[in-house]
Amino acid sequence: MKIFIDSADINEIKSLNDTGLIDGVTTNPSLIAKSGLNFIDAIEKICKIVDGPVSAEVTATDADTMILEGKKLSKIASNVVIKVPLTVDGLKACKNFSNENIKVNVTLCFSAAQAILAAKAGATYISPFIGRLDDIGADGINLISEIVDIYDLHDFKTEVLAASIRSVQDIVDSAKLGVHVATIPPKILQSMYDHPLTDKGLSTFLKDWEKTGQSIL
Ligand code: G3P
């Protein structure tokens, strides 16, 4: 399973990328607004930091303008993936991009039916939103499960990118279902490292090691 960072914060992306565990980045208009950066500059900077795919989202709502925006964004760097919303126009634009071998991430997916259409439109990634479904009392992980099963059954090549992740458990549940990618907010990614028994165990090891009076170097 690939790990993408769901952020447009350049410093956070830089420091997480230094771990060597990051396969890509996803952004959206809200994350760009939060960063306070110019959109094009931000994508340019992120693409210089991370080698893997970097999703940049169009903001037009009609297919023709989405295509123009997407083409401009795809010229920023070779690892830019165009992100389009799961609307009729978004999928028209997706089909157009996929015909031109431009990679597309179809976002704001909330149903298996939508995911089928995105796959038919040649999406590289489908982004089902776990957290936002859970927020309204629906079952985000169940949607992931449905999409993974349908894509497997029909041999769709679109990768399932678990998005709107709110907890470490969302990541583990998505991984168990076989998602190709999880896009993870920096805070949650940091907490994947944590376990109280790791801290406790390390402190005991270090205390006992000190008693030996030895040093490795
Ligand atoms: O980037 C799309 C998605 O991950 C957004 O997450 O937390 O705003 O629902 P969230």
Side-chain angles (χ1 to χ4, degrees), residues 6 26-28 31 83 107 129 132 163-166 183:
D6 199 22
T26 52
T27 66
N28 63 38
L31 292 170
K83 207 171 175 188
T107 189
F129 278 31
R132 292 193 198 183
S164 187
I165 282 174
R166 301 281 162 77
T183 190

Side-chain angles (χ1 to χ4, degrees), residues 35-87:
S35 77
L37 297 169
N38 169 277
F39 181 29
I40 305 288
D41 290 350
I43 299 298
E44 208 167 66
K45 282 188 182 130
I46 297 168
C47 287
K48 279 189 186 141
I49 300 167
V50 178
D51 292 332
V54 174
S55 288
E57 189 160 341
V58 299
T59 52
T61 51
D62 67 284
D64 289 343
T65 319
M66 283 179 185
I67 291 165
L68 288 177
E69 289 183 348
K71 285 195 173 153
K72 180 173 174 181
L73 294 171
S74 70
K75 285 191 187 114
I76 297 175
S78 57
N79 51 336
V80 169
V81 172
I82 306 306
K83 207 171 175 188
V84 300
L86 210 154
T87 58

Side-chain angles (χ1 to χ4, degrees), residues 7-8 11 20 36 55-56 58 80 105 120 131 146 162 205 217:
S7 174
N11 291 329
S55 288
V58 299
V80 169
N105 177 358
K120 297 289 291 178
E146 282 187 312
F205 286 158
L217 297 178

Side-chain angles (χ1 to χ4, degrees), residues 134-146:
D134 293 346
D135 288 346
I136 60 156
D139 186 345
I141 289 297
N142 184 55
L143 173 62
I144 298 282
S145 168
E146 282 187 312

